Amino acid sequence: MDGWVGAWTGGRAAVHVGNVADFNEQFFAPGMDGAQRARRLRQAHHYACLAACYSPEPALLVLPAEVAPEWTDWLARELEWGPVEVHRGVSPGSTVARALAGRPALRARIAGLGGPVVHWGRTADQGEGPELATVRRYESKAAAHELFTELAPAHPDVHVPAQECPGGRGRTARRLTARAARGLTTVLKSPHGVGGYGTVVVEPADLFAAGGGRALLRRLVRTEVLPARGGLLLEEHVDPGPAARLRDLTYDVVIGSDGAVHPVGAGVMAVAGTRYQGVTVGPGAVPDAAAGTARRFALAVGERLAAEGYRGWFDVDFVTDRRRRLAPTEINLRLTGPAVAFVLRERLDRVRGPGHLVRTLDAMPLGARLAQEALHDHLDRLRPACARLGVTLLPLIPTAGHDPEPVVGLALAGTDAEALDAAQALLAAANHALAGMFEALR
């Protein structure tokens, strides 16, 4: 099989290992306490439910959290999978690697299948070497910025925002204050933030309201927006102007085992503040000009990563400026939230015909806390209404419905963008109505 699917799994059913927590743990800040680590672990295990869609067709799933079989059965029916062996609740209080270390039978089962094994990302338990070294290097937003700056002269439609690393927190606070005094908005970044965590946009008014740079940094640490220790980056804020509708773009790429670089596609991301919420991919989701610019730059990044030894999935994220230039902001050397949308699009195009748009909604709010069974029933009642709009409803993250701030992860698929908008609005209204329903039952 040609293209990115061939480079990713050879078109074969694969083992999917949901090691999101393992990957993220490599970059945990040293100042994080036990409670913070537990929260990050729980959040990572929620996100690892996306492992069901790490490739177009799974043969075996390793899920760290306890996921009711109704969810994977739903996906299997809609996506026309063959038999899927599911290992649920493998590591509820730990990482997948630690859990598998104590489960030799499961490790033997995975090896015995003889097919491709795909993970969220590369970790030390899979072996040291140039691939992991490249991950550790370019997951740093400072190292990624250096690469962007080096490549940008050959890409006139790409603008790399200025970035600096002042050093200690005191110097960072002083630089923030100096920039605010000049009326400048600053993007403050931890070098290893994930999904928008560890990144915050600081307006001059924010800094002065907080009582200065030091006070602002203390507040951001206290509210767990930034890590307690480690250097921080200050980056030029890119004003989107009238391009705001296409503010946040991504381009995904697969590097095959032979080092060949394969384009996957462009998507327009939904970002709340700085936090990734989902993506839309498919025909017309990103205008051709922007998609072409993103593709050329991401492939250039891929050639460099391949030369340094990286193999697998990665993406480059961009924001747009007033002149419709793309400003690259980071490289994610792993599977990504948008990767799931591309995988779903590939599978649906294969089994139902071409032309699918796919929109993922990674953290859609619920109006009440729901156990998985009740959440399944709630969404199952909404499935026919989505179908009447020509939209397929797919559950992706069902384990966060009982959190203090309950959410559910979903995907919507169809061939019409307005139908996706209508289905999203329908789901949002129904989820919001849960609050009134439960209040009436009290």
Side-chain angles (χ1 to χ4, degrees):
M1 178 175 288
D2 295 330
W4 70 263
V5 178
W8 186 230
T9 62
R12 295 179 291 164
V15 174
H16 299 181
V17 181
N19 72 334
V20 176
D22 305 60
F23 185 87
N24 291 352
E25 191 178 64
Q26 298 176 103
F27 307 108
F28 276 174
M32 190 178 294
D33 62 28
Q36 290 172 325
R37 286 178 179 272
R39 283 192 291 275
R40 293 292 176 91
L41 181 71
R42 186 179 70 252
Q43 291 162 356
H45 285 351
H46 288 325
Y47 214 63
C49 293
L50 297 178
C53 301
Y54 284 1
S55 84
E57 185 173 9
L60 183 148
L61 301 179
V62 179
L63 302 175
E66 191 61 53
V67 179
E70 289 81 5
W71 298 103
T72 47
D73 290 347
W74 185 331
L75 292 173
R77 286 192 305 271
E78 296 287 2
L79 300 172
E80 299 184 20
W81 290 338
V84 181
E85 184 178 329
V86 184
H87 296 265
R88 306 174 179 87
V90 168
S91 56
S94 180
T95 64
V96 169
R98 294 191 190 102
L100 288 178
R103 300 183 65 166
L106 180 52
R107 295 201 314 273
R109 175 61 179 157
I110 292 170
L113 287 176
V117 179
V118 295
H119 299 76
W120 176 256
R122 184 81 181 186
T123 52
D125 59 285
Q126 300 166 50
E128 297 282 349
E131 183 174 341
L132 186 56
T134 309
V135 170
R136 289 171 175 162
R137 179 178 181 184
Y138 289 109
E139 275 287 326
S140 163
K141 293 175 176 60
H145 184 270
E146 291 175 3
L147 178 56
F148 296 155
T149 301
E150 183 179 340
L151 296 175
H155 300 267
D157 292 330
V158 169
H159 162 68
V160 181
Q163 186 187 92
E164 61 178 295
C165 181
R169 295 293 173 101
R171 292 183 65 183
T172 300
R174 289 193 293 275
R175 286 294 298 144
L176 268 177
T177 301
R179 289 178 59 83
R182 293 162 53 200
L184 298 176
T185 298
T186 302
V187 183
L188 182 60
K189 293 182 171 183
S190 168
H192 292 101
V194 176
Y197 292 94
T199 299
V200 61
V201 177
V202 179
E203 303 276 358
D206 299 330
L207 188 120
F208 296 129
R214 289 180 181 273
L216 177 67
L217 292 180
R218 286 195 296 269
R219 189 186 75 192
L220 293 173
V221 169
R222 187 172 62 252
T223 55
E224 298 185 27
V225 174
L226 294 177
R229 294 186 226 161
L232 296 172
L233 307 173
L234 303 181
E235 192 167 283
E236 171 193 358
H237 179 255
V238 177
D239 180 4
R245 186 183 70 82
L246 293 171
R247 170 62 167 167
D248 296 281
L249 303 181
T250 188
Y251 201 94
D252 283 50
V253 179
V254 171
I255 301 175
S257 59
D258 60 355
V261 181
H262 300 269
V264 177
V268 57
M269 298 185 291
V271 177
T274 59
R275 296 187 178 182
Y276 173 80
Q277 301 292 302
V279 71
T280 302
V281 306
V286 179
D288 289 346
T293 298
R295 173 187 169 117
R296 289 187 292 273
F297 192 77
L299 292 180
V301 170
E303 294 291 348
R304 179 61 61 85
L305 298 180
E308 296 196 24
Y310 184 70
R311 302 292 183 266
W313 201 292
F314 77 92
D315 76 5
V316 180
D317 291 343
F318 303 86
V319 294
T320 52
D321 71 7
R322 283 182 167 269
R323 293 168 53 187
R324 298 296 179 97
R325 295 177 302 177
L326 300 189
T329 58
E330 64 181 8
I331 310 171
N332 297 300
L333 289 90
R334 51 173 169 80
L335 276 166
T336 65
V340 169
F342 287 113
V343 165
L344 288 171
R345 180 193 169 201
E346 168 67 24
R347 184 63 180 176
L348 288 165
D349 280 358
R350 181 169 296 274
V351 300
R352 297 188 184 180
H356 283 87
L357 287 158
V358 174
R359 177 175 299 166
T360 54
L361 306 162
D362 283 8
M364 198 169 199
L366 295 168
R369 297 174 69 188
L370 298 179
Q372 287 191 47
E373 181 179 0
L375 180 55
H376 179 277
D377 291 345
H378 167 65
L379 292 177
D380 197 38
R381 288 190 292 271
L382 296 169
R383 177 166 29 181
C386 290
R388 286 192 290 274
L389 294 168
V391 173
T392 299
L393 173 62
L394 300 167
L396 298 179
I397 302 175
T399 56
H402 213 260
D403 275 10
E405 296 183 7
V407 297
V408 62
L410 304 170
L412 304 173
T415 57
D416 181 82
E418 290 184 359
L420 295 188
D421 293 341
Q424 182 176 346
L426 181 154
L427 290 163
N431 290 350
H432 180 74
L434 289 171
M437 291 169 56
F438 276 78
E439 185 64 31
L441 292 174
R442 290 183 178 178

